[in-house]
Amino acid sequence: MQPATAKWYDRREAVFIEFCIEDSKDVQVKFDKTKLDFSCVGGTDNIKHHNEVELFESIDPNESKHKRTDRSVFCCLKKAEPGKSWPRLTKEKTKLNWLSVDFNNWKDWEDDSDEELSSFDRFSEMMNNMGGEDDLPDVDGVDGADDEESADSDDEKMPDLE
């Protein structure tokens, strides 16, 4: 058994963890007040993965959720004390080689007091809306890039050289 590679980020209401395992099977996620236990079989090699994390702070196990996709397993850990920043995911300050910060989703939310939807609500909404490719929005022509008559600002008429 080996640990699954994971990325995490912190928000006001919850902490999010993505276990990056393609084609996962037999996914088991156990949420305890101070611990997360994750296991699955993944990939074409059917490798058994197991991660156990002693969490930095307490969570609400009954309100925490997970969702499996073809590429990963997303976990939303609902904080027992919303509004309290987590500087790291783990209780101990040890570096885990399988865990990294998800900088694409990281946000300094402590200064952001006017979030219209809590991250937990957005995560729940995203999970409810997740589906196949048919659910992707139509982006044709959004930026006008397909409009052949629009000229780039650096396009200039070249003089006829005859």
CSV table of all heavy atoms in Angstrom, one decimal, residues 25 37 47 61 65 102 118:
chain,number,residue,atom,x,y,z
A,25,LYS,N,-11.3,2.9,-7.5
A,25,LYS,CA,-12.3,1.9,-7.1
A,25,LYS,C,-12.3,1.7,-5.6
A,25,LYS,O,-11.3,1.9,-5.0
A,25,LYS,CB,-12.1,0.6,-7.9
A,25,LYS,CG,-12.2,0.7,-9.4
A,25,LYS,CD,-12.0,-0.7,-10.0
A,25,LYS,CE,-10.6,-1.1,-10.1
A,25,LYS,NZ,-9.7,-0.7,-11.1
A,37,ASP,N,-9.3,9.5,7.1
A,37,ASP,CA,-8.8,8.2,6.6
A,37,ASP,C,-9.3,8.0,5.2
A,37,ASP,O,-10.5,7.9,5.0
A,37,ASP,CB,-9.2,7.1,7.6
A,37,ASP,CG,-8.5,5.8,7.4
A,37,ASP,OD1,-7.3,5.8,7.7
A,37,ASP,OD2,-9.1,4.9,6.9
A,47,ILE,N,-3.3,-0.3,-7.9
A,47,ILE,CA,-2.5,-0.1,-6.7
A,47,ILE,C,-3.4,0.3,-5.6
A,47,ILE,O,-4.3,1.1,-5.7
A,47,ILE,CB,-1.4,1.0,-7.0
A,47,ILE,CG1,-0.5,0.6,-8.1
A,47,ILE,CG2,-0.7,1.4,-5.7
A,47,ILE,CD1,0.4,1.6,-8.6
A,61,PRO,N,-17.6,15.9,11.3
A,61,PRO,CA,-17.6,14.7,10.4
A,61,PRO,C,-18.9,14.5,9.7
A,61,PRO,O,-19.0,14.0,8.6
A,61,PRO,CB,-17.3,13.5,11.3
A,61,PRO,CG,-17.0,14.1,12.7
A,61,PRO,CD,-17.3,15.6,12.6
A,65,LYS,N,-17.9,16.0,3.3
A,65,LYS,CA,-18.4,15.2,2.1
A,65,LYS,C,-17.2,14.8,1.3
A,65,LYS,O,-16.2,15.4,1.3
A,65,LYS,CB,-19.4,16.0,1.3
A,65,LYS,CG,-20.6,16.5,2.0
A,65,LYS,CD,-21.4,17.4,1.1
A,65,LYS,CE,-22.6,18.0,1.8
A,65,LYS,NZ,-23.4,18.9,0.9
A,102,ASP,N,-2.6,23.3,-2.9
A,102,ASP,CA,-3.2,23.6,-4.2
A,102,ASP,C,-3.2,25.1,-4.4
A,102,ASP,O,-4.1,25.8,-4.1
A,102,ASP,CB,-4.6,23.0,-4.2
A,102,ASP,CG,-5.3,23.1,-5.6
A,102,ASP,OD1,-4.7,23.8,-6.5
A,102,ASP,OD2,-6.3,22.5,-5.8
A,118,SER,N,-20.6,30.9,0.5
A,118,SER,CA,-19.5,30.3,1.2
A,118,SER,C,-18.8,29.2,0.3
A,118,SER,O,-19.5,28.7,-0.6
A,118,SER,CB,-20.0,29.7,2.5
A,118,SER,OG,-20.7,28.5,2.2
